[in-house]
Amino acid sequence: MSEPIIEVTDLHKRFGSAVALDGMTFTVAPGRVTGFVGPNGAGKSTTIRVILGLDAPDEGTALVCGQPYQHLQRPLNQVGALVDAAALQPSRTGRNHLLWMARSQDMPTSRVDEVIELVGLGSAARRKAGGYSLGMRQRLGIAAALLGDPPVIIMDEPFNGMDPEGIIWMRRLLHSMAVEGRAILVSSHLMSELQDMADHVLVIGRGKVLADASVDELIAHASGDQVLVRTSAASEAAGALQRAGNAARVIDGNTISVSGLEAQHIVEVLSQAQIPFSEVTAQRASLEDVYLQLTSGEAEFRASSDRKAQS
Amino acid sequence: MTEALRAEWTKLRTLASTGWLLLGAIVLTVGVSAAVAAAVHVTSRTGQDPTKLALTGIYLGQTIPAVLAVLTISEEYGTGMIRTTLTAMPRRFVLLAAKAVNVAGLTFVAGCLAVAGCLLVGRLLLPGAGLDPAHGYALVSISHSSTLRAAVGSVVYLVLVALLSLGVATVVRDTAVSIGVVLAVLYLPPILAQAVSDPLRRHLEQIAPMTAGLAIQATTDLRSLPIAPWAGLGVLAAWAAASLLVGGMLLRLRDA
C-alpha cells in the first residue's frame, strides 16, 4: 500500500462542555475509497473541518500531503472538498460560483466548463444557484471539488438529498476516481450508502475511531466464519466435523453451525464420511450489521457512563 | 495575493447587487446634495461653506458603501459560503486583505463619481440660493485648493467608512447586526454630542469616526472645527485600521 495522504493524529476538540473529538487518529491511503461512518454527532464533520483548516483542534494535527491544509499552495489543486452543498450565495450562477474558485487558484475558465459538463450541470450552469434542487447543488459542489483535478477528495455526506440515480452516478464517480489512484474520504451516517463502494471503513463514535479496517476484514470479523449446514443427519455430521477438529454445534434437528472451516472443506469432510447434506452456506454479516454492532456497543457505554455520572 | 484579489473581484462582479449598490450610493449622495442645495436660501454674507453644503450628500450616501462592505463578508457567513471561500483561500489575512482592496477600489470609483456629481450640483444650484460672488461667496470649484482637499478627502472618507464596515462585519458576522453596529458607530456620537456640553462635546467630536472624518469637508472657518481636516481623516483611518485588525485577528483565531 502506498503512503498515507491524509494523516490525522490524536485530535481533541471540545465545544464548551461537549467533547467533539477525543483522540481521533487515522490515515487515508490513495487508490481506494475510505468510508467515514458513524452516527450523527460522532465527530465526522468536525474532523473533516479540522482537516480542511476550517476549525482548529485543541490538540493534535491533521496533515494533507504532509502539510497542514493552511500551508498548501493553491489548495484546490491538492484537495477537493464537498463540505456543505448549500455553502454558496444563491444569487450567483453556478458557473460564476465555479469561476471565482478557479480564479482563486489561477485556473483557466475552460476548466470551469469542463467540470460543469463532467457533473452534468451544463444546461443549468448559467442559472442562479439559489434555484437549484438539492441534487443539483450537490452536483455543483462536486464540480467544485473536482475543479483542481486533486489527488485527494473529501466529501461530507455527499448522498444527502440525491435521488437514486444521482447516488448510483456518485458511487461510480467516486469508485473511478479511486481507481485512478486518488485518495477518497466519504462520510456518511448510513453504512448502507457505503456498502459496495468503500474499500476501507473508519467507524467513528464519540469522537474517536472504533474500527479501522477493510470492508472484507470487518465483515469476516463480525461473521465469525460461521457456516451453516443443512442435513437430515445432524448429529452424525456434527460428530464427523468434530473428529476432523472443528467446532460444530447442532442448532436444530437438521441444521448445524460450523466455525473455523471453509464451506469447501466442510463439503469434503461430509462427503468422505458419506453423510447426506442439502445445503452448505457461509454466513456473512452485512456491513450494516457490523456497524450496528460497533455503534450499539458505543451507545451502551454511553448509557452506563451516564448512569455512573448520576449516581 | 493576486489570485485572492481576482477571486474576490470575480465574486463582487458576479453579484447583481454590487452594481446596484454602487449606483445607489452615487444617486443618493448626489440627490441629497441637490435637494439641500435647492432648499437652502442664504441672506447673510458670511457663515456659509458652499463646498461643505455641496458635499452634504455624503452624510447619507456613506451608508451604502458601508452596506456593500458589510455584505462582502456577512453574506458569506449567512449562506455558509465562507467555508468554501476558506478552503479555496485558507490564508485568512490574505483573504481579508483581498476583500478590503476590492471594496476600497469599488468605493473609490463610486466615491469619485458621487463627489464630482455633488460639486457639479453645488456649482449649478448654489448661486441660485444666494451663494454667489455677488453675495461674497466664491463659486464651488476644485481649482481652489481647499475645495480640492475637501473633494479628495470626501472620497477617502467613503473608502475608510467602507473599510471600517468590513472590519466590523468580520467581527460580528451577521448582516443585520453588522449594519446596526456600523450605523451606531457613525451616527450615535454626533447625536450624543448634541446632548452634552463642551469640552466633552468637542472631545467626542474629535474621536468619533464621522464627526472627525467629515472635518475634511470644511473650507471656511477652519478654526471652529473640533479637529483639523487631515487629522480628522486620520482619526477615521485609525478606526478603520483598528476594526480591520481586530476583524483579521478574530478571522484567524475563530473556527469558520
Side-chain angles (χ1 to χ4, degrees), chain A residues 222-246:
Chain A
S223 314
D225 301 327
Q226 298 280 311
V227 180
L228 288 185
V229 180
R230 284 191 182 278
T231 166
S232 53
S235 51
E236 289 91 337
L241 288 162
Q242 279 158 0
R243 279 194 298 281
N246 301 288

Side-chain angles (χ1 to χ4, degrees), chain A residues 13 15 49 52-56 69-76 81 83-84 86-93 96-97 99-101 103-106, chain B residues 2-4 6-8 10-17 71-72 75-76 79-92 253-256:
Chain A
K13 187 168 179 69
F15 293 109
R49 286 201 303 269
L52 296 173
L54 295 173
D55 286 10
Y69 190 89
Q70 293 93 323
H71 294 185
L72 297 174
Q73 291 293 331
R74 294 180 186 162
L76 300 187
V83 184
D84 175 3
L88 48 81
Q89 280 174 297
S91 49
R92 191 177 280 117
T93 68
N96 282 335
H97 178 69
L99 191 63
W100 77 254
M101 295 182 81
R103 291 286 176 270
S104 74
Q105 317 290 306
D106 202 22
Chain B
T2 325
E3 290 152 11
R6 294 189 65 199
E8 288 301 317
T10 307
K11 279 188 199 171
L12 279 166
R13 177 174 75 71
T14 54
L15 285 182
S17 56
L71 290 178
T72 307
E75 270 269 277
E76 292 209 18
T79 58
M81 196 174 86
I82 189 73
R83 291 191 288 278
T84 311
T85 294
L86 288 174
T87 49
M89 295 172 274
R91 288 173 186 78
R92 299 188 180 185
L253 291 174
R254 289 192 297 201
D255 289 342

Side-chain angles (χ1 to χ4, degrees), chain A:
Chain A
M1 196 171 61
S2 35
E3 272 188 26
I5 203 155
I6 299 175
E7 291 177 84
V8 169
T9 313
D10 202 26
L11 291 182
H12 286 79
K13 187 168 179 69
R14 288 174 156 275
F15 293 109
S17 63
V19 176
L21 300 180
D22 186 18
M24 182 74 73
T25 301
F26 62 85
T27 61
V28 176
R32 66 188 190 191
V33 176
T34 301
F36 195 48
V37 62
N40 288 325
K44 303 183 299 290
S45 294
T46 305
T47 304
I48 288 176
R49 286 201 303 269
V50 169
I51 294 172
L52 296 173
L54 295 173
D55 286 10
D58 299 334
E59 274 176 61
T61 55
L63 302 180
V64 187
C65 307
Q67 293 183 77
Y69 190 89
Q70 293 93 323
H71 294 185
L72 297 174
Q73 291 293 331
R74 294 180 186 162
L76 300 187
N77 292 300
Q78 297 182 61
V79 184
L82 174 69
V83 184
D84 175 3
L88 48 81
Q89 280 174 297
S91 49
R92 191 177 280 117
T93 68
R95 186 173 181 277
N96 282 335
H97 178 69
L98 296 171
L99 191 63
W100 77 254
M101 295 182 81
R103 291 286 176 270
S104 74
Q105 317 290 306
D106 202 22
M107 284 173 208
T109 310
S110 58
R111 180 61 191 160
V112 170
D113 295 317
E114 275 172 36
V115 290
I116 286 172
E117 288 307 316
L118 188 63
V119 301
L121 210 57
S123 56
R126 287 172 195 272
R127 293 215 316 262
K128 287 184 177 174
Y132 286 7
S133 66
L134 192 49
M136 285 160 80
R137 286 184 181 214
Q138 289 285 25
R139 284 174 190 258
L140 181 60
I142 292 157
L146 300 180
L147 197 59
D149 197 17
V152 184
I153 307 260
I154 299 175
M155 298 205 168
D156 196 8
E157 300 278 0
F159 302 104
N160 274 0
M162 279 207 145
D163 53 22
E165 190 196 348
I167 291 175
I168 292 168
W169 169 77
M170 180 79 168
R171 287 181 172 194
R172 284 199 186 128
L173 180 73
L174 291 176
H175 180 73
S176 69
M177 288 192 302
V179 169
E180 287 164 18
R182 298 176 216 260
I184 318 283
L185 182 66
V186 183
S187 86
S188 175
H189 63 286
L190 296 172
M191 187 63 112
S192 55
E193 288 180 339
L194 298 174
Q195 187 140 26
D196 307 327
M197 182 187 68
D199 308 296
H200 197 90
V201 178
L202 297 161
V203 182
I204 308 300
R206 303 195 82 206
K208 52 179 176 280
V209 175
L210 301 177
D212 179 349
S214 74
V215 171
D216 292 342
E217 282 166 3
L218 264 186
I219 289 175
H221 178 76
S223 314
D225 301 327
Q226 298 280 311
V227 180
L228 288 185
V229 180
R230 284 191 182 278
T231 166
S232 53
S235 51
E236 289 91 337
L241 288 162
Q242 279 158 0
R243 279 194 298 281
N246 301 288
R249 191 161 53 86
V250 178
I251 293 177
D252 57 37
N254 50 16
T255 312
I256 59 171
S257 161
V258 188
S259 55
L261 195 61
E262 282 177 32
Q264 185 188 337
H265 293 123
I266 293 173
V267 171
E268 281 169 19
V269 170
L270 293 180
S271 303
Q272 271 173 14
Q274 297 190 325
I275 296 168
F277 59 92
S278 58
E279 192 180 332
V280 177
T281 327
Q283 279 287 89
R284 275 177 71 82
S286 73
L287 209 48
E288 192 77 32
D289 297 333
V290 184
Y291 173 55
L292 289 174
Q293 268 180 31
L294 282 164
T295 51
S296 70
E298 196 59 15
E300 275 166 28
F301 168 66
R302 190 181 320 181
S304 65
S305 64
D306 285 351
R307 274 200 299 277
K308 241 181 277 170
Q310 279 167 7
S311 61

Side-chain angles (χ1 to χ4, degrees), chain B residues 157-206:
Chain B
Y157 174 87
L158 289 174
V159 170
L160 291 173
V161 166
L163 292 176
L164 169 64
S165 308
L166 177 65
V168 167
T170 309
V171 175
V172 174
R173 296 180 170 190
D174 179 78
T175 303
V177 178
S178 300
I179 291 174
V181 169
V182 169
L183 293 182
V185 167
L186 291 176
Y187 293 102
L188 215 49
I191 294 168
L192 287 175
Q194 297 307 310
V196 298
S197 52
D198 281 329
L200 191 57
R201 174 192 292 190
R202 202 173 166 81
H203 287 315
L204 200 55
E205 287 174 347
Q206 282 167 344

